Amino acid sequence: RSLLKWSWRLTYLSAVGGLAYVGYGVYEMRNPPEQMEPDASKKTLVILGTGWGSVSLLKKLDTEHYNVIVVSPRNYFLFTPLLPSCTTGTIEHRSIMEPVRNFLRHKKTAVKFYEAECTKIDYEKKVVYIHDDSEIKGDVAATEVPFDMLVVGVGAENATFGIPGVREHGLFLKEVGDAQNIRRRIMDCCETATFKDQHPDEIKRLLHMVVVGGGPTGVEFAGELQDFFENDLRKWIPEIADNFHVTLVEALPNVLPMFSKQLIEYTEKTFSEEKITIRTKTMVKNVSDKYIEAESAGPDGKKRLEQIPYGLLVWATGNAVRPVVKDLMGQIPAQKDSRRGLAVNEFLVVKGTENIWAVGDCAVANYAPTAQVASQEGAFLARLFNQMGKSDVIEQELQKLSDEQEKAPTKEARDAVFHQIKENQKRLRRVKQMGPFEYSHQGSLAYIGSEKAVADISWLTGNLATGGTLTYFFWRSAYLSMCFSTRNRILVIMDWVKAKMFGRDVSRE
Ligand code: FAD
Ligand code: NAI
């Protein structure tokens, strides 16, 4: 009985402790302390972008060592792994956004943020040109920002491979606005399909949801869309049930090429059970407003071009280099052979430069363009810059000490300063000892619909390839723990509960 009593007390105490901890966390978040003003004599560090790479750097950077300036057209961080869930309203987009102002305001020394796009980086002049792209513009909408050190973390844009009609008729899935457009278009297609006197062929076309690209973006979106149909749409709009259909088109022989063979087969089997059609070895060549033209091998093995009608077209064929990055590459001779982005060395320094670093999807460092890589690169740069900042301070101290040593009146005083110099030199050597960037792969995860996920996870003992409902709970808890803040975590959980209790919202905004 006394054991039971004690365990009750312990549970009670830990609950109170947990609540107090969360409460303090919320209080601290809502009440940022006073910040120090940046020291004008320090170097100016300009960081481009507020995505995975740049934000991971900012999170861990000791801002007192630099004058930090952040430039990005987006004044928030976006947790992209849960973006496919926003296309169907399983998660509301604001739940996976974190305003940069919130976390910048918590840095010890103030950081300047300019909501603007960097239109050009002038390597020789050490200047970035920025442009306010928002709706409201002041008298000054374009200006320049000089830098001593620059971090390029602008990510990548959507690849279209120059295929005609993609930009005009297809929808991408990279930003919040994209997810909102897709959500709106799904509902528009459903409502238009039920319009009075609509022809059966037109109904079929409008309810044909085509996803091009069988990478993780395309697969996760197709899974989410089929869930939306099965759990909500067919219930509230039963007249679309016979015609609503999702097709995933992929040029290669299989989807999810980065996963193991076993998980690829599991995904393809699950999709077939979910009634999602996968068209592999099918390359889209042209897009018009109502159909795509795709090339595939016919039954006789000969290539044929086929017209596939669609109502919604989501284009998810990977990344392309942004113009601002291409332009910078053109200014640096050492970048002339690089095609996929800024070639960097093992310290993430842009090859051919001394004061420019690159992180994430815009950097080419022989890793896949993922959030996992970008955030580890950002954290590495933070450690590097913190050490550089500390060594600058130690070097200044050393300079002061050597001046003192010269002026010291007695041998004892000179010896005392000499001892301090030795200590500082030791500290400096320690601080300067930092190895190159090493990526540690934690594994790959993807949601494939009907509450199933696939995971290729790296364990101590090797790799584990797993798929199914348990993996889905692992997927959820892993992404929840990776969310930017406690606020995001709580909002995402609330969205999941809301979607489970009331279903997803089928109104068209
Ligand atoms: P981004 O996160 O794209 O950030 C780029 C930043 O630069 C943005 O703030 C942008 O506004 C800003 N910017 C753009 N142009 C300019 C400019 N000219 N000047 C200044 N700023 C600029 N990876 C995973 O590891 N796991 C996942 O589950 C996963 N899921 C994903 C789901 C989706 C739908 C998508 C699209 C991607 C997913 N990824 C995932 C990939 C991951 O999101 C990217 O690899 C990651 O975002 C790259 O980080 P980044 O910092 O390089 O770029
Ligand atoms: P991707 O590059 O991984 O896949 C694009 C696919 O489109 C390729 O398989 C390609 O063969 C296909 N394709 C290209 N052109 C085509 C055409 N004309 N017709 C038909 N198919 C065509 O792109 P994705 O999925 O956007 O991912 C980008 C990056 O983000 C990747 O590095 C990926 O790993 C990462 N990511 C990771 C996720 C996860 O871990 N869960 C989720 C989403 C993205």
Side-chain angles (χ1 to χ4, degrees):
R1 260 182 61 195
S2 86
L3 198 71
L4 198 70
K5 219 157 94 188
W6 271 105
S7 63
W8 269 115
R9 275 186 196 159
L10 263 176
T11 315
Y12 176 73
L13 272 178
S14 35
V16 171
L19 269 178
Y21 180 74
V22 172
Y24 178 71
V26 171
Y27 173 83
E28 208 191 12
M29 190 194 80
R30 305 265 335 247
N31 298 283
E34 281 296 302
Q35 283 184 305
M36 287 193 306
E37 275 308 303
D39 174 352
S41 69
K42 302 258 171 173
K43 284 183 182 153
T44 300
L45 167 62
V46 173
I47 299 172
L48 302 180
T50 47
W52 277 95
S54 304
V55 164
S56 155
L57 157 64
L58 280 162
K59 241 179 156 178
K60 298 214 159 83
L61 182 72
D62 295 338
T63 50
E64 59 270 33
H65 296 311
Y66 304 96
N67 274 302
V68 185
I69 298 174
V70 181
V71 177
S72 176
R74 225 167 64 180
N75 79 344
Y76 56 87
F77 166 75
L78 177 66
F79 187 75
T80 46
L82 290 177
L83 190 62
S85 302
C86 297
T87 59
T88 56
T90 312
I91 288 177
E92 293 299 336
H93 58 273
R94 284 202 177 263
S95 306
I96 56 164
M97 290 159 69
E98 183 70 21
V100 290
R101 298 284 181 187
N102 283 14
F103 62 85
L104 291 184
R105 185 60 189 80
H106 281 85
K107 300 304 290 186
K108 208 165 164 187
T109 303
V111 171
K112 280 215 161 61
F113 173 73
Y114 301 130
E115 192 191 65
E117 188 185 326
C118 167
T119 48
K120 188 179 171 66
I121 300 164
D122 192 322
Y123 171 55
E124 284 297 325
K125 283 197 196 154
K126 289 195 190 173
V127 159
V128 296
Y129 296 88
I130 66 169
H131 187 267
D132 179 359
D133 265 349
S134 63
E135 260 172 55
I136 309 284
K137 291 185 182 56
D139 290 342
V140 181
T143 184
E144 53 186 70
V145 181
F147 64 85
D148 297 308
M149 296 157 77
L150 175 72
V151 176
V152 188
V154 297
E157 62 176 30
N158 295 292
T160 64
F161 306 104
I163 295 169
V166 176
R167 288 206 184 275
E168 295 86 327
H169 309 296
L171 297 179
F172 299 111
L173 180 51
K174 207 175 213 357
E175 300 290 342
V176 163
D178 298 334
Q180 287 172 304
N181 286 341
I182 293 175
R183 192 172 172 183
R184 210 172 298 126
R185 185 77 66 94
I186 296 168
M187 288 324 302
D188 204 355
C189 284
C190 293
E191 296 299 353
T192 309
T194 57
F195 193 73
K196 186 167 179 297
D197 301 335
Q198 203 68 273
H199 190 275
D201 286 346
E202 186 64 347
I203 295 176
K204 253 195 163 52
R205 179 187 74 79
L206 286 163
L207 295 175
H208 191 201
M209 311 280 145
V210 174
V211 185
V212 180
T217 305
V219 165
E220 290 194 327
F221 169 66
E224 292 277 356
L225 183 53
Q226 187 66 23
D227 282 0
F228 186 29
F229 169 65
E230 289 298 341
N231 303 339
D232 304 284
L233 288 172
R234 67 150 69 234
K235 206 181 296 168
W236 306 121
I237 323 175
E239 55 269 48
I240 66 165
D242 291 339
N243 289 305
F244 190 96
H245 192 77
V246 181
T247 300
L248 180 66
V249 182
E250 166 58 52
L252 297 176
N254 55 268
V255 297
L256 292 183
M258 66 290 295
F259 281 82
S260 58
K261 195 166 170 277
Q262 171 201 347
L263 291 181
I264 291 171
E265 281 167 8
Y266 180 77
T267 306
E268 292 181 346
K269 187 175 127 270
T270 308
F271 267 27
S272 123
E273 285 163 9
E274 288 169 4
K275 306 212 167 45
I276 298 173
T277 303
I278 301 184
R279 297 280 311 264
T280 50
K281 297 189 198 159
T282 306
M283 165 91 81
V284 178
K285 296 272 183 174
N286 192 32
V287 174
S288 74
D289 60 343
K290 293 189 176 168
Y291 57 85
I292 54 170
E293 276 181 325
E295 189 184 78
S296 59
D300 53 357
K302 280 193 189 142
K303 290 210 166 136
R304 63 190 172 133
L305 210 57
E306 178 192 358
Q307 290 191 341
I308 305 174
Y310 71 84
L312 168 84
L313 174 68
V314 171
W315 194 266
T317 62
N319 294 342
V321 183
R322 286 198 191 277
V324 66
V325 173
K326 249 187 229 158
D327 180 78
L328 175 63
M329 287 160 68
Q331 297 171 42
I332 305 163
Q335 296 286 329
K336 86 173 187 322
D337 294 329
S338 185
R339 293 282 165 273
R340 285 176 299 118
L342 290 161
V344 293
N345 72 10
E346 68 274 33
F347 287 90
L348 307 180
V349 178
V350 172
K351 285 185 182 162
T353 75
E354 279 168 4
N355 53 345
I356 305 186
W357 289 258
V359 284
D361 287 2
C362 65
V364 180
N366 287 334
Y367 307 113
T370 64
Q372 218 181 130
V373 171
S375 66
Q376 287 186 30
E377 288 178 340
F380 169 83
L381 275 196
R383 278 201 309 280
L384 184 75
F385 292 167
N386 291 346
Q387 301 222 359
M388 282 161 64
K390 272 186 211 152
S391 50
D392 279 353
V393 172
I394 301 174
E395 272 160 7
Q396 278 163 16
E397 263 173 49
L398 276 170
Q399 187 57 50
K400 244 179 18 205
L401 284 168
S402 80
D403 292 347
E404 266 177 42
Q405 195 184 25
E406 267 177 32
K407 288 183 202 139
T410 63
K411 182 173 178 306
E412 284 74 27
R414 262 199 308 279
D415 283 351
V417 178
F418 178 73
H419 182 71
Q420 283 183 44
I421 289 176
K422 281 276 157 219
E423 279 303 306
N424 273 302
Q425 279 170 341
K426 248 197 255 165
R427 263 178 68 206
L428 189 62
R429 270 198 299 277
R430 262 202 313 271
V431 163
K432 281 195 166 168
Q433 261 170 15
M434 185 165 159
F437 172 69
E438 271 175 40
Y439 171 61
S440 143
H441 186 62
Q442 308 296 309
S444 306
L445 274 169
Y447 180 62
I448 58 170
S450 62
E451 306 204 335
K452 287 181 184 147
V454 286
D456 260 327
I457 308 158
S458 317
W459 290 113
L460 290 175
T461 48
N463 273 3
L464 175 75
T466 159
T469 307
L470 259 183
T471 316
Y472 164 69
F473 288 112
F474 174 71
W475 173 84
R476 273 200 163 183
S477 47
Y479 281 176
L480 202 58
S481 71
M482 280 189 259
C483 276
F484 186 89
S485 62
T486 309
R487 188 185 71 94
N488 287 151
R489 262 171 230 125
I490 292 172
L491 292 177
V492 167
I493 292 173
M494 277 162 46
D495 288 343
W496 280 337
V497 172
K498 208 169 70 183
K500 201 81 198 162
M501 278 177 72
F502 305 112
R504 300 167 185 86
D505 188 339
V506 296
S507 49
R508 185 167 80 86
E509 284 171 89

